[in-house]
Amino acid sequence: MNRITGKAKDATLIEMSQRDSHIGEDNNGLFSTSDRDTQLPGHLESEGTLAGELTKDSVYFRDGVRRIDFVLSYVDDKDVDRKQERRREFEANLEKVGLELEREDKSESDDRKTYFVKIHAPWEVLSKYADILKIKVPFKVSDIPKAGEAPLHWLTRPFRLPEHIMQPEQDHFTSPFDKNKTAFFLIQDKDTFFPASTRNRIVYYILTRCEYYKEDRPEKDKRGIKRLISNGTYTSAFPLHDCRYWKKARESHCESERYHLYRHWARFFSFYKEQPLNLIRKYYGEKIGIYFAWLGFYTEMLFFAAVMGVICFVYGLLSYEDNVTSKEICEKGGDIVMCPLCDKKCSFWKLNSTCLSSWQSHLFDNEGTVFFAIFMGIWVTLFLEFWKRRQARLEYEWDLVDFEEEQQQLQIRPEFEVMCTHYRTNRITQEKEPYMPVATKLPRFCLSGATVLFWMCLIIACIMGVIAYRLAVYAAFAKIMKNSETSKIQLVGSLITPQLATSVTASCINFLIILILNFLYEHVAIWITDMEIPKTHLEYENKLTMKMFMFQFVNYYSSCFYVAFFKGKFVGYPRDYNYMFGKWSGLRNEECDPGGCLIELTTQLVIVMAGKQVVGNIQEALLPLMRNWWGRRKARNHPEKVYSRWEQDHNLVSFGQFGLFYEYLEMVIQFGFITLFVASFPLAPLLALVNNILEVRVDAWKFTTQFRRPVAAKARNIGVWHEILNVVAIISVVTNAFIMAFTSDMIPRLVYLYSDNNHSMHGYINNSLSVYNISQIPFDNMPDKGEDPAWYNSSVHTTCRYRDHRYPPGHEREYSHTMQFWHILAAKLAFIIIMEHVVFVVKFFVAWVIPDVPTDVHARIKRERYLIQEYLHDFDMNQIKLQLSQSTTFATDTGNGNGNGNGNGNTENASLLPHDTPEKQDVLSDC
């Protein structure tokens, strides 16, 4: 077994020189270690970097030995004295903890006004907090054989990355660090034993809990770097990137992982390559690594959905000429007079005006759409089940199997500790811990719930306003179209109908409202979540996630739900029309085209979904680029000896607390679009696939070039987002079934096809339109004089048609529903029940057949746990034997010195052993 070797002696020399170094106070009252005039003998030469070659573009202190684990920055302003006092106390407390500081004066910075405080965590601090946080570290090289390569693996060779990029670390057995058992772990070099991501995680843990009040005036709320940044004492706090992204670091002992990530991952022309997930995890931490693993897997699964969607669309194209319904509308629709679609301003119109929209509708509303809707219900289940397996494999490979319990116990938010004045004993740990009484929680939760409800009602009110707009402007568009003003636009004039013009403009207005409400509610959601004071970081993220998703679910999908399930369903008929706000409003409910409302749902979905993706990509790519333009120019043009590593990173965009939150939210909203309403637009998965291929590289580019290095954080899964995806998957089965039944015209066509003796679709349009006597139309519903088109003649045209199944005038049951209406309704309900049951049965069967954890991973987890216990037991027994042999030797020497025999010496040793080594006694009793 490897022992502690290498730079332990150097580390001791560093600590001795730190104790001897002068710590003074500058003009601003800040503590900083003095510059080192001498270097440790032989250290830098052994690493291949001479002292004279050190540049400011380095991640080490001026001595070239101690690594910079974190950087704080600040500027002087009007309130100098108070902030100066806070900084003095804060940095003094950091030094008491054991952290080492080095300060860069503002005269050394490029802007001549920013101070930088560099922080280094020595071995003693790292080992102490690694023990507290139970960070897993390697203790033995894994001897479990790896799985063999899949058959035909050579086919994937063009998509692979080099092995040293995909597997940057050797596979080890790991165990939670114990500072009292350092000899058990593979510590070859204390300076590099903890990777940079673990080091910055430990330092950030200290920074968020360090006080900045004086000992004689304890103030509980004055602690943590977050509060110091919020009150302006510091401007930022961040760990450093290891090098510039376009070239490697000059120090040979620096990893240059950022350079490798940019070269093999962040460039767009690598879009067809696999992602280096292990290197991402090593550099950014497990939480960001899990996100990119999920995004990559989601994109891979979208490929299969996109292929099926394209096949369905191609089927619609190939069956284009066989569309009897559209042919009847175009060829015979000129002889069919339709009733007005609105009161007073709308005139009678001919059915053939919807010729083009009926052909467009057939592309998405055909027999293949039913099978595609069923396929997507099964695809969602396969996606979620296979992701569980991929996630379980990552949990094993990244040592996250037992992380959840540690996370719940250890990562209490500093804000919770500050705000809670009540303490109680934990039943498990038997230690005092802060808690919030119910009397304090209840008012906060009530206010939070009321705020969420108010904003959701506000969204619904905005959607109602958009619907009122659709109803009000339809008449205006209809009048414009009647006056043939669109005929001046030769290329697109024939494509424009009042329904299409209304739908497109309403969708654009709705999308603008969505963007505005999103901007407002983001701040409200954060405020009410902070007000609830969640206990742990996980609880905070879950609460914020649920609020934001509920809001965005209503915000993005409500307009699609209206078009899919309400438009055209509650219209009435010429004698008794239904109105949105009552008859006094004059806003008659919208009707669908004779071809159905599916094409309008497709238009709504395309505009909102595509618009969101375009705006999101612009925001993600251009905004950080514009903000970092000047910093990137300086980084490129300034030499390394002038523009320091901490200044380069300081000019980048801060990743922020909610960086990943918005990334997940964007993808989950997209997931809702391609599952909830995919029956109306089979090409939606293809749009999502193209967007996600770009999204992976845009996110990688942002993380690598535009963002400061995030603080590493652990996460074993995607959290509450998985439950949200499950709920969306279940709802999608219901929505698609209802879309096919009530929004699509598929079921009425099938009923007519199989009820007709000839089994033909000829005559379907005439069968689907009811007849109404124009003379019986109420005066309030009749067009005004002068609104009738030139071809209309009241003496010739005595009846008009409308979309419904009602008895004609003169029948004994005049204008009541025919039996065909009830047959179609029964068929729709039967279709919904059958489709839902088929999809749900398949979903549950697939979920039952596919285990959440792969068999080989499950066996490896058990094998590794067994081996870890065995190695720990052997190590403890060896330590006990070593201590017993040393104690026996000491007792024998003592007995010989006193003139006693071996027996007396052994007896004396036996009596002293329990008293001198109580830890050994506990270990022996355990064994």
Side-chain angles (χ1 to χ4, degrees), residues 212 221-233 418:
Y212 56 90
D221 61 334
K222 291 189 175 183
R223 65 170 64 191
I225 188 63
K226 290 183 181 179
R227 193 172 181 87
L228 288 171
I229 291 177
S230 64
N231 61 32
T233 304
V418 169

Side-chain angles (χ1 to χ4, degrees), residues 517-541:
L517 291 176
N518 274 348
F519 175 78
L520 296 175
Y521 189 75
E522 284 178 6
H523 302 283
V524 175
I526 294 172
W527 173 71
I528 59 180
T529 307
D530 289 337
M531 181 187 62
E532 293 178 6
I533 318 177
K535 182 177 180 179
T536 64
H537 293 284
L538 180 63
E539 184 180 353
Y540 182 91
E541 290 183 3

Side-chain angles (χ1 to χ4, degrees), residues 213-225:
Y213 54 76
K214 293 185 178 180
E215 294 183 358
D216 57 342
R217 290 185 303 167
E219 299 174 78
K220 190 176 180 182
D221 61 334
K222 291 189 175 183
R223 65 170 64 191
I225 188 63

Side-chain angles (χ1 to χ4, degrees), residues 233-269:
T233 304
Y234 290 98
T235 56
S236 62
F238 53 91
L240 291 179
H241 285 292
D242 58 2
C243 64
R244 302 187 179 197
Y245 65 86
W246 62 88
K247 65 179 180 180
K248 294 182 179 180
R250 294 189 61 183
E251 297 93 341
S252 60
H253 50 283
C254 192
E255 302 87 352
S256 297
E257 292 172 347
R258 185 190 188 194
Y259 166 78
H260 293 303
L261 285 171
Y262 175 73
R263 182 180 178 186
H264 298 283
W265 177 53
R267 294 190 297 183
F268 177 75
F269 293 105

Side-chain angles (χ1 to χ4, degrees), residues 439-507:
T440 307
K441 282 184 180 180
L442 190 58
R444 295 176 181 270
F445 287 161
C446 291
L447 179 59
S448 174
T451 305
V452 172
L453 184 61
F454 167 78
W455 278 87
M456 293 180 68
C457 292
L458 179 63
I459 297 171
I460 296 175
C462 292
I463 298 301
M464 297 292 287
V466 173
I467 296 173
Y469 163 84
R470 299 170 68 107
L471 300 177
V473 303
Y474 177 81
F477 279 119
K479 187 173 183 178
I480 292 174
M481 305 302 173
K482 182 195 72 173
N483 293 333
S484 302
E485 294 186 13
T486 56
S487 62
K488 300 177 182 178
I489 311 174
Q490 296 181 1
L491 293 179
V492 297
S494 60
L495 306 179
I496 299 176
T497 62
Q499 292 91 340
L500 180 62
T502 304
S503 179
V504 171
T505 55
S507 299

Side-chain angles (χ1 to χ4, degrees), residues 75 106 109-116 634 647 650:
V75 294
K106 64 180 181 180
S109 62
D110 188 68
D111 59 5
R112 297 294 188 272
K113 61 181 181 181
T114 305
Y115 296 87
F116 292 97
K634 288 195 294 183
E647 287 181 277
H650 179 262

Side-chain angles (χ1 to χ4, degrees), residues 137-179:
V137 294
F139 68 87
K140 188 182 184 300
V141 177
S142 176
D143 57 2
I144 297 179
K146 294 184 178 180
E149 293 186 338
L152 302 178
H153 64 278
W154 55 271
L155 292 175
T156 62
R157 191 170 300 163
F159 309 103
R160 294 182 184 176
L161 293 176
E163 185 64 23
H164 72 280
I165 300 298
M166 291 300 297
Q167 301 290 341
E169 294 179 322
Q170 192 175 10
D171 193 15
H172 291 86
F173 290 136
T174 60
S175 178
F177 185 78
D178 187 345
K179 64 179 181 179

Side-chain angles (χ1 to χ4, degrees), residues 554-573:
V554 177
N555 198 19
Y556 277 106
Y557 303 145
S558 53
S559 58
C560 293
F561 272 104
Y562 164 72
V563 176
F565 306 123
F566 295 97
K567 182 180 178 182
K569 308 300 185 297
F570 310 99
V571 177
Y573 63 103

